[in-house]
Amino acid sequence: MSQDSSFAASSETHTPEATKSVAELKQIAAQVRRDIVRMVHAVNSGHPGGSLGCTDLLVALYFKVMKHTPEPFDMNGIGQDMFFLSNGHISPVFYSVLARSGYFPVGELATFRKLNSRLQGHPATHEHLPGIRVASGSLGQGLSVAIGAAQAKKLNGDDRTVFVLMGDGELEEGQIWEAAMYAPHHKVDNLVAFVDRNGQQIDGPTDKIGGLGDLRAKFESFNWRVLETDGNDLEKLLPTLEEAQSLLGQGQPIMVLVDTQMGFGVDFMMGSHKWHGVAPNDEQLEKALQQLSVEEAGDY
């Protein structure tokens, strides 16, 4: 199918002053979700559940919140907001949002997980894919990387913000908590971290696999400023992102606990860990696409 010009790759600089309406963001999110299910279906491989759940957050960041320049891509992100994906297995949503916001051609999404593709199952830097600043997928490392980038910005007199997304199951990694202790101590207050609190991981519900307890209390005890929001409701998510930005520069890193549903937008995938890393078959794909309608589909 032809690409809808509304979601075409472009070289414009995305700034908080030149952004999409909520209605437009919802249409972009629906298109991204179409990309996700089509990408994993095409190769019978990938992680649709978490990708669908985090779509609204990434769309809000790249099309509303972040100041970033897709082209030419600057690996160092000087003068730009930066985003790091720690739970790299949800690469389908990351690749779709990067392509749709102008980092590389939308048509390249058709190469996902194929031989010699720049769109590997987990993001990697040696393919030199624009928008990817760190290899991820080995869980637990993203927060440390983001803290380092945020401190580098401070040292360089760069007043932009660093964002990072982690999964809730990923919080079982000890490195997360070392980083969580480090950031407040060093007053890394140009950092906004997100936890996708969908309550699911590959083997089942997080409260049965390795209960996380009261995450708000835990991060507050480490001296983070903590917010909570519904990650699948843009009307609630966007004000929370604005609040997070208003709290920057006050001596504390910001943590946003984002409640999402795994598989959001596709009814038979929603809320189940079984769709963590399973691709839909032909019939399931058709059913999913029927639920993910857009005014004018711009499928690659």
Side-chain angles (χ1 to χ4, degrees), residues 52-264:
L52 292 166
C54 288
T55 295
D56 302 295
L57 174 61
L58 266 69
V59 166
L61 287 174
Y62 274 85
F63 288 90
K64 183 79 171 177
V65 174
M66 290 170 52
K67 177 184 177 183
H68 60 111
T69 305
E71 187 180 7
F73 173 61
D74 174 19
M75 190 69 169
N76 293 318
I78 298 171
Q80 302 181 51
D81 293 329
M82 302 173 72
F83 173 81
F84 294 98
L85 178 67
S86 187
N87 49 331
H89 56 277
I90 64 168
S91 61
V93 64
F94 195 22
Y95 292 148
S96 174
V97 168
L98 287 175
R100 297 285 172 182
S101 60
Y103 282 86
F104 56 87
V106 172
E108 193 168 351
L109 297 176
T111 71
F112 175 67
R113 279 184 174 249
K114 294 182 180 179
L115 292 176
N116 301 315
S117 171
R118 297 194 296 178
L119 280 62
Q120 294 297 304
H122 294 78
T125 54
H126 63 274
E127 277 86 6
H128 305 293
L129 183 67
I132 306 299
R133 292 189 169 93
V134 64
S136 60
S138 181
L139 297 176
Q141 299 178 4
L143 184 57
S144 299
V145 171
I147 291 169
Q151 288 190 302
K153 282 193 176 294
K154 281 179 169 288
L155 290 170
N156 292 332
D158 187 338
D159 64 356
R160 301 313 307 175
T161 305
V162 176
F163 299 88
V164 59
L165 172 62
M166 299 165 279
D168 52 359
E170 182 180 8
L171 299 190
E172 294 171 15
E173 295 280 358
Q175 183 173 340
I176 293 287
W177 298 101
E178 295 178 51
M181 180 171 59
Y182 178 96
H185 177 77
H186 292 278
K187 295 180 169 53
V188 185
D189 57 3
N190 56 339
L191 172 70
V192 178
F194 302 96
V195 171
D196 174 22
R197 194 166 57 177
N198 63 21
Q200 307 291 331
Q201 58 192 99
I202 190 168
D203 292 325
T206 54
D207 60 358
K208 293 183 179 180
I209 304 302
L212 300 172
D214 188 338
L215 286 182
R216 182 180 192 119
K218 285 182 176 179
F219 279 103
E220 286 180 339
S221 74
F222 280 61
N223 202 29
W224 286 69
R225 187 68 179 267
V226 181
L227 305 175
E228 299 178 74
T229 192
D230 185 336
N232 295 134
D233 185 339
L234 284 165
E235 281 84 359
K236 295 178 180 178
L237 176 60
L238 291 172
T240 305
L241 296 178
E242 290 181 11
E243 182 180 1
Q245 289 181 294
S246 75
L247 297 172
L248 293 166
Q250 299 181 25
Q252 290 176 284
I254 311 302
M255 171 59 67
V256 184
L257 302 175
V258 183
D259 292 320
T260 72
Q261 285 194 62
M262 181 169 282
F264 188 84

Side-chain angles (χ1 to χ4, degrees), residues 49-50 53 198-201 204-205 232 260-276:
N198 63 21
Q200 307 291 331
Q201 58 192 99
N232 295 134
T260 72
Q261 285 194 62
M262 181 169 282
F264 188 84
V266 179
D267 60 6
F268 60 87
M269 293 185 180
M270 288 174 62
S272 172
H273 74 277
K274 295 179 181 179
W275 287 97
H276 173 89

Side-chain angles (χ1 to χ4, degrees), residues 12-20 63-64:
E12 68 176 306
T13 297
H14 295 269
T15 68
E17 294 77 25
T19 55
K20 306 286 187 181
F63 288 90
K64 183 79 171 177

